Amino acid sequence: MIMTDSLISIKNLNHYFGEKTLKIQILFDINLTIKYGEIVTLSGPSGSGKTTLMTLIGGLRSVQHGSLKFINQELNGASNDQLVQVRRHIGYIFQSHNLLNFLTARQNVQMSLELDNSIPKWEARKKAEAMLHAVQLGNRVNYYPSELSGGQKQRVAIARALVNHPKLVLADEPTAALDSKSGRDIVNLMQILAKEQNFAILMVTHDNRILDIADRIIHIEDGRLVKEVYC
């Protein structure tokens, strides 16, 4: 992939669910650019199109109308194989940590690397442990999820999302299941790592207490970007 100033470039993006008489438009003429190292928060009421937009950007859904470029690669018309390659450059963090309870913290993180057959097992283990140290869980490497707090589980999920050194992290309500202190610690950590490693974050959140970490806040209503605030 060719490096460019913009990580994500979206022009006149429209999206629909259903067909024929049941066809409903979900996104309307979305125009958005996200740069490397930038933290963008996407806010708006339930049903406004936030998750649909995130799944399109994340290569989890096919682009129907308009242009969506990821590192200068057009995703409109991209094949499944091309979308798989795009997803290799993206980390995903969700409201639920989605850890496997029968694996240790290290094993949960290492699992992301083992999808790449070119990485030897010893190297995957080393990288997983290093990333757990980066999220301040170096003393919990061999702990199982049942032995970790909610905030610690979410840190493991962050380590899993970042261990492949993605260009973009998509975070969907990453603090929703956490208390205020744990939530603040998580977003502060994400902010520090984004600046250190120069990856972008697109985060959906209803938590007004963490909006201050964003470089920009984009508000979406009824499938339209209605407001953009630079922080």
Side-chain angles (χ1 to χ4, degrees), residues 118-213:
S118 68
I119 300 176
K121 200 153 192 172
W122 65 266
E123 185 178 346
R125 180 184 181 118
K126 185 177 178 180
K127 286 185 174 182
E129 291 180 356
M131 188 53 65
L132 285 168
H133 278 277
V135 299
Q136 300 161 15
L137 282 180
N139 60 343
R140 297 288 189 274
V141 168
N142 295 314
Y143 282 49
Y144 288 90
S146 61
E147 301 171 307
L148 301 173
S149 68
Q152 289 171 336
K153 290 175 186 175
Q154 199 65 315
R155 285 173 185 263
V156 177
I158 291 173
R160 181 180 57 193
L162 300 186
V163 72
N164 281 312
H165 296 288
K167 303 289 191 296
L168 173 69
V169 169
L170 298 177
D172 193 356
E173 298 283 1
T175 64
L178 303 176
D179 60 66
S180 58
K181 183 184 184 305
S182 296
R184 167 52 64 179
D185 290 345
I186 289 298
V187 295
N188 284 348
L189 177 62
M190 290 170 61
Q191 182 183 39
I192 291 167
L193 293 173
K195 300 307 178 186
E196 285 180 353
Q197 300 182 21
N198 200 35
F199 61 83
I201 296 175
L202 178 62
M203 178 170 62
V204 168
T205 185
H206 289 100
D207 190 347
N208 293 328
R209 299 169 300 183
I210 63 172
L211 294 179
D212 59 299
I213 75 152

